[in-house]
Amino acid sequence: MPRRAFRIFAELEGMYRNMVEQLVLYAVNNGVTKFTRLKAERYREVRSLYPQLPSHYSYTACQDAAERAHSFLRMKKMGRARKAYPEVRNVSIWLDDRLWRAEGLTSISLATHRGRVRVSVELNKHYLRYVNRGWRLTSGARVKLDHRDRRLILYLTFRKEVSEYRPKGYITVDVNEDAEAALIDGLVYLFETDLSRITLGYYYRRKRVQERYDKVYGPGSRPARRIFKRLSNKERTLKKEIRWKLATLIVREAARRQAAIVLERLGKEPAKNMMERIKDPQLRYRIFQAAFKGMQRAVEEKAREYGVPVIYVDPRNTSKICPIHGAEIVYGRNRHGICSKGGETWHRDVVACYNLLLRALDGDGGPAPSRQRALAPVDGGPVPLGPTATHEPTGVPRALWARWRSLGATSAHKLMRVSV
Ligand SMILES: [Zn+2]
C-alpha cells in the first residue's frame, strides 16, 4: 500500500488495540467472558474514547476482547497462564458488514476514522478453492497489518448451505502420538505421522543449541534466539504439512463414500498413558497439541471444507475392551493384546477404531450401517474382518502416504504389514 494510506490503518490499529486492551483488562478483572455482557457494560466507555472512529469498531472490539478474556480465563483455570493478565500482542482488527465491503473481486472498501478507504486486493488460491466449492463470503472478517511489507492481510469467513448429508457409513479415526489409525471399508490403516518423534527431536536440538550458545554468549543471546526461531519455523511447517496432507487424504475418502468421520471426544488434558513417561509438562503439552489436538483440528477443518460431518464419541476405554466379546484385552509390552474371553490377539489401534465405530453406531438410529452388519462374520469367524487379517493394521509409512491423492492409488495388499 502507499505509505500515506497505510498510515491511516496504522493509526486505526493503535486505537483498536487500545480499546481491546482496556476491554480485556476489565473483562478479566470482572470475569466477563460473554460479548453481550461486555458490550452492555463497556460499550459507551470505549465509544467515547475515540469519537472519530466508526462506532462499529467499539462493537467488534468488544467481541474481540470477550473472546480473549474467555480463552485467558480458561487457560488460567487450567493453570497454564503465566501472567496475571493477558497480553494483547497480536492484533487483527475485527470487521463487520458496516466496516468493510467487497467492491467486485479486485478491491474492498474499509471504514476508517478518515472516511472510507479503498484498497485493492490480491486473491489467493485458498480463497478461490472455497469459492469454487460453492462457499459464500460472510460479513465477518479480520484485517491484520503487515508493517514490514506495508500491506493488509484480510481474513475472511465463508458460509455454505448444505443439504442434509445422510452418512452411508463411517470412517473412524484414532490418533496416537506417532500414527493415525483409520478404519476404512473394514480395513484399519495405520498412517505413520512421527509427530511426537519430530517434537522431541526439535526439543532436544534446541536444548543442545541453548547449552552450546549459553556457554559462549551467556543466556538468551541473540544468535541463539535466531537459531531457535529458525528451528521452530521448520518444526511448525513440517508438522503442518503432515497434518494437512493426512487430513485431506482421510476426508476425501469419506466424501467419496458419503461417510461420516468419527473422532474421539478429547478431554482437556493429555491423558494418554503413553505420554506419562514424558515428565516435562510443557513438552507433554506440545506433543499433545501436535499429535492429538492438531490432527483433530486439521481433520475437522478439512471435513468442513468438503461438507463431511464429524461425529464425536466417548474415548474412554476404546482400546481396552474387545469389540466382539466386550471383555478386557490384556496388553503385553508392545501394542498387541489378548482378549481375556476369546483369546484372540488384537492390535491396540485396531481395537480403538472398531470401538469408535461401535459407539458411533450405538449413538444414532440413522440409515447408516447397523452394529449387526459391522460385526457380521466375513470369512468364518465372528470377527469384523475375518479371523486372520483383522487384528493387524495395515501400516503405511509417511514417505508413502504423503504422495497419495487417494487410497485407490495403492491397493492394500501391496503394502507391507508392520506392527508399531
Ligand atoms: Zn474377544
Side-chain angles (χ1 to χ4, degrees):
M1 285 181 75
R3 220 174 272 278
R4 200 192 296 164
F6 192 76
R7 202 179 308 132
I8 297 176
F9 289 104
E11 288 165 8
L12 176 64
E13 186 191 38
M15 293 187 260
Y16 181 85
R17 177 194 295 274
N18 198 8
M19 291 196 291
V20 172
E21 273 171 351
Q22 297 200 14
L23 286 164
V24 166
L25 210 63
Y26 176 86
V28 168
N29 271 336
N30 296 279
V32 181
T33 57
K34 291 269 186 301
F35 157 65
T36 40
R37 198 181 136 199
L38 188 59
K39 201 194 92 191
E41 292 175 18
R42 301 303 288 174
Y43 178 79
R44 253 163 223 293
E45 197 83 21
V46 286
R47 179 73 196 101
S48 61
L49 217 55
Y50 301 110
Q52 71 275 37
L53 213 57
S55 66
H56 276 240
Y57 282 112
S58 325
Y59 195 87
T60 56
C62 286
Q63 288 177 308
D64 190 344
E67 196 162 287
R68 285 171 193 264
H70 179 74
S71 66
F72 176 80
L73 289 171
R74 200 180 48 203
M75 292 292 260
K76 198 170 172 185
K77 213 160 134 196
M78 287 159 69
R80 279 214 308 275
R82 293 209 195 111
K83 298 186 176 116
Y85 291 101
E87 231 178 291
V88 179
R89 233 175 309 163
N90 293 315
V91 168
S92 59
I93 304 167
W94 291 29
L95 305 170
D96 64 10
D97 56 343
R98 298 292 182 85
L99 298 174
W100 82 290
R101 64 169 175 257
E103 302 192 329
L105 276 177
T106 52
S107 64
I108 58 167
S109 104
L110 289 150
T112 73
H113 53 296
R114 303 279 183 87
R116 286 213 160 247
V117 178
R118 200 168 186 185
V119 183
S120 65
V121 293
E122 196 178 288
L123 301 173
N124 63 9
K125 223 165 73 183
H126 203 55
Y127 173 89
L128 294 168
R129 202 161 60 209
Y130 271 83
V131 170
N132 285 336
R133 291 233 169 86
W135 291 81
R136 293 282 158 262
L137 270 180
T138 65
S139 55
R142 299 181 194 190
V143 66
K144 195 167 181 178
L145 273 70
D146 176 357
H147 289 268
R148 210 181 55 184
D149 294 330
R150 229 192 302 131
R151 56 180 188 154
L152 302 180
I153 301 171
L154 195 65
Y155 296 89
L156 304 168
T157 313
F158 290 93
R159 172 183 302 170
K160 190 176 174 179
E161 300 276 332
V162 290
S163 49
E164 196 192 358
Y165 183 113
R166 297 198 149 226
K168 288 184 183 151
Y170 294 105
I171 287 183
T172 64
V173 178
D174 175 63
V175 180
N176 71 49
E177 308 147 83
D178 276 313
E180 186 160 313
L183 173 59
I184 305 173
D185 294 341
L187 256 183
V188 175
Y189 295 87
L190 194 60
F191 299 104
E192 290 174 9
T193 57
D194 300 323
L195 283 170
S196 87
R197 227 172 301 161
I198 292 167
T199 307
L200 282 171
Y202 275 99
Y203 175 80
Y204 290 120
R205 269 169 83 181
R206 264 194 295 271
K207 222 170 171 177
R208 278 201 303 276
V209 168
Q210 186 167 26
E211 277 162 14
R212 203 157 4 123
Y213 277 71
D214 282 2
K215 243 184 254 163
V216 183
Y217 298 102
S221 65
R222 192 187 284 258
R225 282 209 312 264
R226 208 161 37 222
I227 295 182
F228 271 25
K229 203 168 172 190
R230 205 171 56 215
L231 285 176
S232 305
N233 282 342
K234 269 193 186 166
E235 181 185 4
R236 200 173 327 123
T237 314
L238 177 60
K239 283 180 183 170
K240 216 161 119 183
E241 195 186 302
I242 293 171
R243 280 202 289 265
W244 284 117
K245 274 199 176 145
L246 188 50
T248 308
L249 186 70
I250 290 171
V251 170
R252 273 213 190 115
E253 295 303 324
R256 182 174 303 153
R257 290 163 177 78
Q258 209 187 317
I261 290 179
V262 182
L263 294 175
E264 288 180 36
R265 190 183 306 117
L266 286 175
K268 282 182 185 132
E269 284 299 314
K272 297 261 170 164
N273 20 355
M274 292 169 293
M275 281 180 20
E276 273 166 16
R277 66 191 151 81
I278 296 160
K279 292 281 177 274
D280 182 344
Q282 224 183 334
L283 184 59
R284 209 163 57 199
Y285 177 70
R286 283 195 23 224
I287 290 179
F288 177 73
Q289 288 291 337
F292 304 104
K293 282 249 172 87
M295 271 316 313
Q296 285 226 4
R297 223 172 280 154
V299 171
E300 284 159 9
E301 197 178 328
K302 269 288 155 200
R304 261 201 300 273
E305 187 187 322
Y306 281 80
V308 170
V310 175
I311 295 166
Y312 295 91
V313 297
D314 185 356
R316 254 175 307 165
N317 296 329
T318 39
S319 55
K320 285 191 193 130
I321 306 291
C322 171
I324 300 166
H325 301 100
E328 195 191 336
I329 295 176
V330 183
Y331 287 97
R333 260 175 306 164
N334 57 20
R335 299 182 73 75
H336 289 89
I338 291 169
C339 170
S340 58
K341 194 170 172 198
E344 74 279 10
T345 315
W346 286 95
H347 186 285
R348 196 179 193 109
D349 296 333
V350 174
V351 174
C353 277
Y354 272 102
N355 280 326
L356 290 177
L357 176 65
L358 294 179
R359 281 178 201 187
L361 292 172
D362 280 347
D364 76 9
S370 68
R371 182 183 184 122
Q372 213 119 53
R373 240 187 297 159
L375 286 184
V378 176
D379 48 2
V383 191
L385 285 166
T388 47
T390 26
H391 312 109
E392 218 36 58
T394 306
V396 192
R398 178 150 58 91
L400 197 56
W401 65 253
R403 278 182 274 127
W404 291 358
R405 282 186 67 78
S406 72
L407 274 182
T410 313
S411 51
H413 66 262
K414 273 196 238 156
L415 299 170
M416 48 179 175
R417 296 200 181 277
V418 289
S419 34
V420 177

